Amino acid sequence: MTSPDNTTTSPETLRALEDVYAAVKRVRRDLRPSDRIVQDLEIDSLATLEILLGLEERFQVSLVDNVRAAGVTTVGDLVALLDELRAGRPS
């Protein structure tokens, strides 16, 4: 899957993000790479932390302490970062 900014996103990672989002927000929705995390998904700072912690646990990666995670604005950005961290590429 390619997002509008031409980055490739993993369907598996996107589904995992949808699962964590559903657990935190208590609503199931299909996420698109172009969805803006704050504006479109209405994620506040507490929910952001819960989502990041849920993704850390699921994928055994560090997001909360990752400087790049603070700059993530879209679902596609977050999925790309997760894919990089999972593959062991430098972030």
Side-chain angles (χ1 to χ4, degrees), residues 30-68:
D30 292 330
L31 302 180
R32 298 180 315 265
S34 61
D35 286 336
R36 296 170 298 168
I37 294 169
V38 174
Q39 297 89 343
D40 298 331
L41 303 181
E42 300 176 358
I43 304 285
D44 61 21
S45 58
L46 180 58
T48 298
L49 182 59
E50 290 179 86
I51 289 170
L52 292 178
L53 290 171
L55 291 168
E56 282 186 346
E57 183 176 323
R58 184 157 189 165
F59 292 118
Q60 301 301 303
V61 297
S62 179
L63 288 169
V64 174
D65 295 330
N66 188 304
V67 174
R68 284 193 48 213

Side-chain angles (χ1 to χ4, degrees), residues 2 5 9-10 13 16 22 26 35 45 47 51 58 65 69 73 75 78 80 82 86 89:
T2 302
D5 62 359
T9 58
S10 162
T13 307
R26 295 188 175 104
D35 286 336
S45 58
I51 289 170
R58 184 157 189 165
D65 295 330
T73 58
V75 167
L78 182 53
L82 280 165
R86 291 176 63 205
R89 293 188 300 264

